[in-house]
Amino acid sequence: MISLMLAELREKSRWLSQHSSNVTSQFGEDGIIAKALSLLPERTGWCVEFGAWDGKLYSNTYDLVTSKDYRGVFIEADPIRFRDLERTHGTSGRNVLVNAFVGFTKSDSLDVILSRTDIPEAFDLLSIDIDGNDYHVWQAMEHYRPNLVVIEFNPTISNSVLFVQKRHPAVSQGSSPRSLVELAKSKGYELICATANNLLFVASEHYGAFNIPDNSLELMRDDSNVGQIFIGYDGHVFLSQGGVHGQVTVAWHGVKLAERKVQVLPKALQKYPDQYTLIQRVMFYALTGPGRVWRKLSKRRGVA
């Protein structure tokens, strides 16, 4: 009975996902965004996307600009990709194309870049997909307040983990969905949908229009296929992913990580510690270093 009620609540809360469809987006974002925009009381007809690449590949805004009369600010740092972007969106004269790196300082933040354009402060949609510092770029945004935000998260991280990658342009790790939900709340946004790689947020003043009974991350996103690590009482490290035990996949590289390669204890020491023989205790202390041995000896001698 409880599981049935939970399933019904999940279905009602995820109703936006029923509008999932792709024109150029990856995971149904085009259809979801279109439905979400239709619920806003007013629209400016402006959107922003970075890194925009060629303005079409995996784009969450291409359909808005080409089919729904939107104007866009498209930002791409790579000069080669920027030339492709110009070929896609540079002929109409309606869009603003910017060849720049979006950072998180007073000199290169999104606020700074957008201040050089005519886009209104409360524009309709911001799409953030830069494979790493997405969290920090949005965090640094203070002046502009888009009604909808689509932001990429690291899909290999479970809902319970709070992880934010190092704030550095050379780091490309991504951040956990929970960290983005917490950031969104601190900025006055509420979660309305989760796709395979993106979270969609709406400004809190418009959240009521979406009639979502429970927007908790645990209900909105299924993380059952995320790789898991757990430890046996004997110190054995277990890996599991999507019901398959013994390995996980390093997603973007297609490499399998085998359980046997992550063990920190040799087979001879994979026992509950109270069951160690004297020889095994000596082996364990030797393996874990002189610092641990000293702490053990000091504790037995009563040394502070």
Side-chain angles (χ1 to χ4, degrees), residues 119-195:
I119 195 169
E121 293 178 15
F123 59 92
D124 289 347
L125 174 69
L126 169 64
S127 178
I128 307 176
D129 181 356
I130 54 174
D131 300 328
N133 284 289
D134 308 67
Y135 177 102
H136 300 296
V137 167
W138 191 23
Q139 183 185 47
M141 191 177 178
E142 298 177 349
H143 183 68
Y144 289 86
R145 182 175 168 79
N147 290 311
L148 291 173
V149 176
V150 182
I151 186 167
E152 187 180 49
F153 64 89
N154 185 328
T156 69
I157 305 177
S158 67
N159 291 336
S160 62
V161 174
L162 192 62
F163 172 78
V164 178
Q165 74 151 64
K166 184 179 179 181
R167 191 172 180 264
H168 194 284
V171 178
S172 182
Q173 297 169 340
S175 296
S176 70
R178 179 162 297 281
S179 71
L180 291 170
V181 168
E182 293 198 3
L183 174 63
K185 285 186 175 295
S186 74
K187 297 177 76 67
Y189 286 82
E190 290 290 340
L191 180 66
I192 57 171
C193 194
T195 68

Side-chain angles (χ1 to χ4, degrees), residues 236-239 246-248 256-266 270:
H236 185 87
V237 179
F238 292 91
L239 300 180
Q247 66 179 30
V248 297
K256 304 287 185 182
L257 177 61
E259 195 169 282
R260 59 184 173 78
K261 292 187 176 181
V262 299
Q263 301 304 317
V264 295
L265 295 175
Q270 289 183 20

Side-chain angles (χ1 to χ4, degrees), residues 213-245:
D214 187 338
N215 73 334
S216 61
L217 180 62
E218 291 75 17
L219 203 69
M220 299 292 277
R221 179 195 176 222
D222 180 9
D223 63 354
S224 59
N225 286 323
V226 171
Q228 301 287 341
I229 179 171
F230 56 96
I231 315 298
Y233 295 135
D234 59 1
H236 185 87
V237 179
F238 292 91
L239 300 180
S240 180
Q241 186 173 25
V244 177
H245 301 292

Side-chain angles (χ1 to χ4, degrees), residues 80-146:
I80 296 175
R81 292 177 179 178
F82 184 75
R83 287 198 290 272
D84 294 334
L85 178 63
E86 288 180 311
R87 283 190 282 271
T88 302
H89 287 310
T91 58
S92 70
R94 290 174 47 81
N95 303 307
V96 180
L97 311 184
V98 183
N99 184 200
F101 172 82
V102 180
F104 26 77
T105 70
K106 296 295 182 182
S107 62
D108 62 4
S109 71
L110 189 57
D111 281 344
V112 172
I113 294 173
L114 293 182
S115 69
R116 301 170 186 148
T117 75
D118 294 328
I119 195 169
E121 293 178 15
F123 59 92
D124 289 347
L125 174 69
L126 169 64
S127 178
I128 307 176
D129 181 356
I130 54 174
D131 300 328
N133 284 289
D134 308 67
Y135 177 102
H136 300 296
V137 167
W138 191 23
Q139 183 185 47
M141 191 177 178
E142 298 177 349
H143 183 68
Y144 289 86
R145 182 175 168 79

